[in-house]
Amino acid sequence: MKSVRSRSSSHYSHLVLLLCLMELELFHAAAEDIHTLTPGTVMNDFDYLWSPNELFRLKFFSVGESSNHYLGIEIIKFEKIVWVANRDNPFEDTSGVLNITEDGNLLLSNRHGIRITLNSESPAMSSNTSAILLDSGNLILKAGDQIVWQSSDHPSDTILSAMKLRLFAALNSRQPREHLLTSWISIAIAASGTFTLGVDPNKTNQLVIWLRGKLFWQSGNRNGHNFTYFPASGPFNDLESSNLKFSYISNGNGSYYTYSVPPNYISLFAINPTGEVHFFQGGNNKYSIWYLYCNAGEENGSKGCIDKKPSKCNSGYQFIQKYGYLESWEHLYNFSLALGDFKDMCINNCSCKAYGSLQTDGKGCRFSYDQILRYQNLRNLFTCATTAS
Ligand SMILES: *[C@@H]1O[C@H](CO)[C@@H](O)[C@H](O)[C@H]1NC(C)=O
Ligand SMILES: *[C@@H]1O[C@H](CO)[C@@H](O)[C@H](O)[C@H]1NC(C)=O
Ligand SMILES: *[C@@H]1O[C@H](CO)[C@@H](O)[C@H](O)[C@H]1NC(C)=O
Ligand SMILES: *[C@@H]1O[C@H](CO)[C@@H](O)[C@H](O)[C@H]1NC(C)=O
Ligand SMILES: *[C@@H]1O[C@H](CO)[C@@H](O)[C@H](O)[C@H]1NC(C)=O
Ligand SMILES: *[C@@H]1O[C@H](CO)[C@@H](O)[C@H](O)[C@H]1NC(C)=O
Ligand SMILES: *[C@@H]1O[C@H](CO)[C@@H](O)[C@H](O)[C@H]1NC(C)=O
Ligand SMILES: *[C@@H]1O[C@H](CO)[C@@H](O)[C@H](O)[C@H]1NC(C)=O
C-alpha cells in the first residue's frame, strides 16, 4: 500500500517536473538572444541583447516585488545593473520593447504610450543604423563606423572603466555638459535619488558627493594616484599593485576623471541610495568590494565629510537600523525622496528621533518624535542609537 502510494506520488512529481520543463522550454523559446539590433528587429521584454563575450547584457528587469519595470544593462560577473534607460519613466508591465525606428533612432516604447527616444539629443542622420552592446558595458547606436549615441555618455549610478566622470565640455562640442552619477531612490527604484557624485567645479581634480545639491563629501586633493580621503585600505592607495589606471584629464573638451583596467579585468564604481560609493573589481573569477563613504559618526571635515551639524540624537549622526515600533509617526508621501533625504531631514530637526521608509520598496517616509515603546517588524527603520532600549 505504502509503496503504491509513494510510486503514484513519484509519478505525479514526474508529471509536475515535465510540465515545468515544458513551461521552461516555452519560456525559453519565447526569449531571444540578440547580438545586434537592426531596423526591423524588436527586443521584447524577455529578450537579451548580449555583448560579444557575454560580459554584459541589456535586459528588462524589476527588483524584488516592485512593480517598476526597467530596461537596463547588467554586468554578469557582479549580477548588478550598471545603467538604466528609463529610470524616471518606469514601465508597469512587460509590454516594453526596444527597436530602431524607420529613421534610425533607438526607441523604447510600451503598450501604454510611453515612447522614449534614447538618442533624442543626437538624432541619427541615417536610417541605416544598428545598436550593439560592447564588452565594456557601453550600448552604442552606430551608423556605419560612426557612433551616433552611447549609453556611457549618460551614466546612471555607475562608472565603468573607460567611462568619464566629467564636469563640462567646450561650448562647441556635441558632448554632454556633465557626467554625474546619481543614486537610485532605493534598491528597487531606479529613479534619480538623493546623492550625486561628480567632479568639483571649483577644484576640478577633486571628486565630490552632493546631497540634493548640498556638498556632502569630498575626496580631498589628489596627489599622484591618491586622494586625501580615500581609505588607506582602499583600491586607490594601492594603485600600482592593483590594476587600475586612474587619470585626470583637463583640456579644451573639459575636465574629467577616467580610469582603465587591463583586458579581462572588470571593475566599477557605483553610488548607492544611502550615499556610499561601492567599488567592485575582479580579475579571474575573484573579486572584492570596497566602500567609500561618509560614516554616520564622522566629525565635520574628517574623511571628507562636510558640514556635520550637531543633532539631537545622543550619538550625533549615528542612526542604527532597528526593528521597532513607535507610538506616533508623521508620514511624508513624497515618492521622489529617498532614505538619504529622510536621514538628512531627521538630523536637521532637533526633535526627530527616528526615520524610516513607508513602504518596503523604499517609497515614502515616516518620522517619529517619540521614544521607542515596543518592537514590531518594521523594515527600513532607523533610530538614534541611544534612544532605543
Ligand atoms: C518600432 O516601434 C515603433 C513603436 O512601437 C513602431 O512604430 C515602429 O514601426 C517600429 N519600427 C520598426 C522598424 O519596426
Ligand atoms: C547599412 O550599413 C551596413 C553596415 O554598416 C552596410 O553594410 C550596408 O551596406 C548599409 N546599407 C545601406 C543600404 O546603406
Ligand atoms: C564652489 O564654489 C561656490 C562659491 O564659492 C560654492 O557655493 C560651492 O559650494 C563650491 N562647490 C564645491 C563643490 O565646493
Ligand atoms: C595615499 O594616502 C594614504 C593616506 O593619506 C597614505 O597612507 C598612502 O601612503 C598614500 N598612498 C600613495 C600611493 O600615495
Ligand atoms: C576634443 O575631442 C575631440 C573629439 O574627441 C578631439 O578630436 C580633440 O582633439 C579634443 N580636444 C582636445 C583639446 O583634446
Ligand atoms: C564644516 O566644514 C565646512 C568646510 O570644511 C565649513 O564650511 C562648515 O562651517 C563646517 N561646519 C561646522 C558645523 O563646523
Ligand atoms: C518632493 O521632493 C522633490 C525632491 O526634493 C521635490 O523636488 C518636490 O518638489 C517634492 N514634492 C512635493 C510635492 O513636495
Ligand atoms: C521638527 O518637526 C516638528 C514636528 O513635525 C515640527 O513641528 C518642527 O517645525 C520641525 N522643525 C524644523 C526645524 O523643521
Side-chain angles (χ1 to χ4, degrees):
M1 216 36 198
K2 206 174 167 201
S3 82
V4 170
R5 222 162 81 198
S6 85
R7 190 186 295 166
S8 78
S9 89
S10 116
H11 276 149
Y12 177 70
S13 64
H14 276 126
L15 184 64
V16 170
L17 185 63
L18 187 65
L19 285 173
C20 286
L21 285 173
M22 280 168 65
E23 226 167 285
L24 274 178
E25 200 50 47
L26 283 174
F27 189 83
H28 191 75
E32 247 189 279
D33 289 322
I34 301 170
H35 284 89
T36 306
L37 201 64
T38 49
T41 326
V42 172
M43 178 184 168
N44 289 300
D45 190 274
F46 298 110
D47 299 336
Y48 298 119
L49 174 66
W50 290 93
S51 72
N53 291 317
E54 308 203 334
L55 301 179
F56 291 87
R57 66 182 174 192
L58 184 70
K59 68 169 191 180
F60 289 90
F61 71 96
S62 321
V63 182
E65 319 226 306
S66 173
S67 59
N68 289 6
H69 208 58
Y70 302 100
L71 175 70
I73 297 172
E74 180 183 33
I75 182 166
I76 302 298
K77 190 179 190 99
F78 305 126
E79 293 177 10
K80 195 177 181 317
I81 297 294
V82 298
W83 182 79
V84 182
N86 57 327
R87 66 186 302 185
D88 294 310
N89 296 287
F91 296 155
E92 279 169 7
D93 61 19
T94 56
S95 72
V97 296
L98 179 71
N99 75 358
I100 291 179
T101 56
E102 287 83 354
D103 48 5
N105 296 311
L106 204 47
L107 178 71
L108 177 61
S109 59
N110 75 355
R111 201 183 286 149
H112 309 287
I114 295 185
R115 290 172 70 88
I116 302 164
T117 301
L118 297 185
N119 61 308
S120 61
E121 285 173 14
S122 37
M125 300 299 173
S126 151
S127 57
N128 188 16
T129 56
S130 60
I132 53 171
L133 181 60
L134 303 178
D135 278 322
S136 59
N138 193 11
L139 175 66
I140 64 175
L141 177 68
K142 55 180 193 165
D145 292 335
Q146 194 86 37
I147 294 178
V148 174
W149 173 90
Q150 52 186 349
S151 62
S152 66
D153 281 339
H154 306 270
S156 297
D157 67 342
T158 302
I159 182 172
L160 294 159
S161 44
M163 277 171 69
K164 298 180 178 88
L165 206 54
R166 180 202 302 259
L167 175 67
F168 58 84
L171 289 177
N172 58 359
S173 157
R174 275 181 81 212
Q175 300 288 335
R177 286 186 61 77
E178 18 177 46
H179 286 178
L180 296 172
L181 306 186
T182 304
S183 62
W184 290 23
I185 290 268
S186 70
I187 55 164
I189 302 175
S192 305
T194 316
F195 297 97
T196 45
L197 170 67
V199 173
D200 182 343
N202 303 333
K203 205 163 73 184
T204 53
N205 67 353
Q206 167 168 268
L207 299 175
V208 177
I209 296 175
W210 291 272
L211 187 159
R212 300 279 175 201
K214 261 192 320 189
L215 217 46
F216 176 73
W217 180 86
Q218 60 198 4
S219 67
N221 287 330
R222 178 165 176 261
N223 32 41
H225 302 296
N226 219 346
F227 287 97
T228 314
Y229 296 122
F230 277 4
S233 60
F236 299 93
N237 300 330
D238 193 20
L239 271 188
E240 257 131 5
S241 60
S242 93
N243 287 305
L244 274 81
K245 283 207 166 57
F246 210 57
S247 36
Y248 171 68
I249 291 149
S250 187
N251 63 28
N253 287 333
S255 304
Y256 55 86
Y257 276 104
T258 186
Y259 73 100
S260 61
V261 292
N264 306 319
Y265 196 89
I266 285 182
S267 72
L268 63 88
F269 292 88
I271 184 156
N272 83 356
T274 50
E276 295 169 8
V277 178
H278 292 194
F279 172 68
F280 291 66
Q281 67 172 343
N284 317 306
N285 296 327
K286 275 174 47 183
Y287 68 90
S288 57
I289 301 176
W290 302 84
Y291 299 90
L292 281 178
Y293 56 102
C294 212
N295 249 320
E298 234 83 81
E299 297 287 310
N300 189 28
S302 77
K303 300 205 178 156
C305 296
I306 290 162
D307 204 18
K308 291 294 201 179
K309 296 188 206 73
S311 95
K312 199 54 175 281
C313 199
N314 292 344
S315 49
Y317 279 78
Q318 198 82 48
F319 281 84
I320 54 169
Q321 187 158 15
K322 279 270 178 195
Y323 290 108
Y325 174 87
L326 293 136
E327 203 49 2
S328 62
W329 288 103
E330 258 176 45
H331 291 178
L332 184 64
Y333 294 91
N334 186 335
F335 291 167
S336 309
L337 298 174
L339 269 183
D341 300 298
F342 313 152
K343 179 178 184 180
D344 190 50
M345 289 157 96
C346 195
I347 279 170
N348 285 299
N349 186 319
C350 290
S351 40
C352 184
K353 294 287 192 303
Y355 68 93
S357 51
L358 272 183
Q359 298 182 3
T360 52
D361 64 4
K363 274 188 187 163
C365 181
R366 54 173 97 219
F367 296 104
S368 184
Y369 305 91
D370 221 349
Q371 297 300 319
I372 288 200
L373 298 178
R374 53 182 192 274
Y375 294 102
Q376 79 178 27
N377 215 4
L378 261 181
R379 275 200 255 171
N380 286 340
L381 170 67
F382 294 83
T383 75
C384 290
T386 54
T387 309
S389 54

